[in-house]
Amino acid sequence: MKLSRFINILCIVTGGAIAIYSQAEKQQNEYLLIGGIVLLMFGLYRLSRNVPSKFENREEETFVKTENDND
């Protein structure tokens, strides 16, 4: 688990650094920018897969109860 998280964060940092580096030059290298963004998004996707959903047990956590109209 820790190795996977480290790889995800490394992808995010490396992709961000590559994207910033490609923007800093006078003549931008579009392929380098695209590669940096792809690496950044890949790391973000892998990191977000392990985050649990906020609404996983939606029925159990509601505060409003429904009433049956049997009139």
Side-chain angles (χ1 to χ4, degrees):
M1 176 98 160
K2 289 191 177 210
L3 181 64
S4 176
R5 183 173 284 179
F6 175 74
I7 292 171
N8 296 340
I9 292 173
L10 185 67
C11 286
I12 292 169
V13 171
T14 306
I18 291 171
I20 290 172
Y21 174 74
S22 68
Q23 287 279 342
E25 295 178 2
K26 230 178 203 184
Q27 189 149 12
Q28 297 176 357
N29 188 352
E30 288 123 12
Y31 296 115
L32 194 60
L33 177 63
I34 290 170
I37 291 173
V38 166
L39 192 60
L40 175 72
M41 296 310 258
F42 176 71
L44 284 173
Y45 169 72
R46 282 183 44 109
L47 190 67
S48 70
R49 280 191 316 182
N50 297 327
V51 176
S53 175
K54 183 177 179 182
F55 301 110
E56 194 168 295
N57 295 327
R58 195 169 194 162
E59 289 97 22
E60 297 173 3
E61 296 179 5
T62 59
F63 295 109
V64 179
K65 301 287 184 182
T66 58
E67 295 181 9
N68 295 334
D69 290 332
N70 294 331
D71 292 335

